[in-house]
Amino acid sequence: MAKLAQMPRAPLLVLLLMLGVGAAVAVPEYREAPHFTNSAAARCPPPLPATDADAACSPHAAVHVAMTLDAPYLRGTMAAVLSVLRHASCPESVHFHFLASSSSSPEAAAAVRELRDTVRASFPSLAFRVYPFDESRVAGLISTSIRGALDRPLNYARSYLATTLPACVRRVVYLDSDVVVTDDIAALAATPLPGEAAVAAPEYCGANFTAYFTPGFWASRALSEAAFAGRRACYFNTGVMVLDLPRWRRAGYTAQIEEWMELQRRVRIYELGSLPPFLLVFAGRIAAVDHRWNQHGLGGDNYRGLCRGLHAGAVSLLHWSGKGKPWDRLDAGKPCPLDAVWAKYDLLRPAAAIETS
């Protein structure tokens, strides 16, 4: 059950140095979210303590959720977290793991602390931990893509969850920052992963898979057969995944992703940032998830970000993948129809928008 949000905290205007390049970004002031309690009918474990550093390893952590955390997408992350809690049967037993860009500079450390404090101010009872993600770990492997936002090192942090999260975390749901969950996250987290499958996600075998790689890649039988021989490779979106971390570590999947990124630096084999390396390693090897868990593409394409509608079928998660983000379109006064759904979870908006959602 939700209780009315408390009054906003004192005005906050802290300048962060983002990405170590001296670009000053002001962190806006977010409201405190409503508090949601575990359902008595769901047989939930006891609530996780919000301030316990070891809560991630608690046997009472029913679901683990991993996301990235940065100032440009913070508004989306806050809405996504709220949506997870709003619809979870055991919201007090969900543990969040946030990866935030960092480096050795004092400014970067201060930026991570400010992001952490902003989340804590809006979600006082949330069980979460912030992990500094050293961008130098991946920066030298990134090649330019068709859209600059796809080249941010933090986009690649999902490839390092198995080496970043505590070993006690065995299964985690990864979510992009531009999603809204409208169903119980526990149902997604419980997705079966048969055999040695380390990744589960909605597959789209009707999509034009060849379009995700360059003609030169497909012209080289050595490359294409090395990647996909013996596999029925289908497109899947990496913004919503269920990951088995022990299996990931045993198979050395992070190193495999890095090997394809290193090849991309020498020979252009794809154009779309962090997605193609995942497809090269996992396409045809994942456990399927119902499409209701990733109604993606609501942000349009990577060039214009035009409005798009939902795919046919049920909806448990809306995903504004693509160039158009709902918060940007709302601020510009040019929202798409489905952006009104996202707006219900926007913590920069009045409380009534959430209380009536």
Side-chain angles (χ1 to χ4, degrees):
M1 297 178 62
K3 66 180 182 181
L4 291 178
Q6 299 175 5
M7 293 296 292
R9 60 195 174 109
L12 170 68
L13 185 61
V14 179
L15 295 180
L16 302 181
L17 296 177
M18 299 303 300
L19 306 179
V21 295
V25 179
V27 175
E29 180 185 340
Y30 292 88
R31 282 189 309 103
E32 183 176 326
H35 175 66
F36 301 97
T37 57
N38 287 350
S39 169
R43 296 183 179 179
C44 299
L48 293 171
T51 57
D52 187 351
D54 297 324
C57 293
S58 169
H60 303 317
V63 177
H64 292 273
V65 178
M67 304 182 70
T68 57
L69 190 66
D70 64 347
Y73 284 81
L74 180 59
R75 190 172 174 186
T77 300
M78 301 285 269
V81 171
L82 177 57
S83 73
V84 169
L85 300 176
R86 170 69 176 80
H87 298 282
S89 57
C90 303
E92 294 176 297
S93 303
V94 178
H95 194 286
F96 282 84
H97 305 265
F98 297 112
L99 277 66
S101 292
S102 185
S103 66
S104 58
S105 71
E107 294 83 4
V112 172
R113 287 195 299 272
E114 181 55 36
L115 289 169
R116 180 197 62 207
D117 292 347
T118 300
V119 173
R120 175 59 68 208
S122 287
F123 299 99
S125 60
L126 185 69
F128 75 91
R129 179 176 170 184
V130 178
Y131 305 79
F133 178 70
D134 187 354
E135 294 185 349
S136 65
R137 190 173 186 179
V138 72
L141 297 172
I142 297 175
S143 57
T144 57
S145 64
I146 61 173
R147 183 159 62 92
L150 300 176
D151 300 336
R152 300 181 309 135
L154 198 59
N155 282 345
Y156 294 82
R158 71 195 83 187
S159 302
Y160 297 89
L161 289 172
T163 56
T164 302
L165 271 55
C168 61
V169 179
R170 302 184 60 83
R171 177 176 291 212
V172 65
V173 176
Y174 173 81
L175 299 176
D176 271 352
S177 295
D178 52 1
V179 307
V180 157
V181 178
T182 60
D183 207 340
D184 189 351
I185 194 70
L188 176 59
T191 299
L193 279 83
E196 282 298 305
V199 177
E203 281 187 305
Y204 303 89
C205 293
N208 181 10
F209 189 78
T210 60
Y212 292 94
F213 301 94
T214 63
F217 171 83
W218 294 113
S220 170
R221 292 187 61 184
L223 286 176
S224 58
E225 290 185 1
F228 303 120
R231 288 196 269 162
R232 183 173 181 259
C234 297
Y235 163 75
F236 68 96
N237 182 281
T238 56
V240 180
M241 299 184 290
V242 181
L243 305 178
D244 186 299
L245 300 184
R247 292 178 184 177
W248 181 296
R249 284 189 284 266
R250 285 198 299 269
Y253 285 133
T254 296
Q256 293 183 40
I257 290 172
E258 290 178 336
E259 287 173 3
W260 284 110
M261 293 174 66
E262 289 170 354
L263 177 62
Q264 164 75 354
R265 295 282 292 178
R266 302 193 301 270
V267 181
R268 194 79 172 175
I269 59 175
Y270 56 78
E271 304 288 350
L272 279 172
S274 63
L275 170 62
F278 258 83
L279 296 179
L280 287 161
V281 173
F282 293 110
R285 292 175 173 163
I286 70 172
V289 175
D290 192 287
H291 288 182
R292 69 190 298 157
W293 284 106
N294 196 349
Q295 285 273 352
H296 67 289
L298 303 183
D301 61 20
N302 283 299
Y303 297 98
R304 292 184 294 171
L306 300 179
C307 297
R308 286 184 179 172
L310 294 172
H311 307 288
V315 180
S316 292
L317 183 148
L318 293 86
H319 186 187
W320 280 262
S321 57
K323 184 178 180 180
K325 302 306 176 188
W327 53 90
D328 291 333
R329 296 193 293 215
L330 287 163
D331 287 351
K334 299 179 180 179
C336 295
L338 287 172
D339 295 346
V341 177
W342 183 91
K344 293 180 180 181
Y345 303 92
D346 184 7
L347 285 173
L348 287 183
R349 296 170 64 85
I354 297 170
E355 297 301 331
T356 59
S357 64

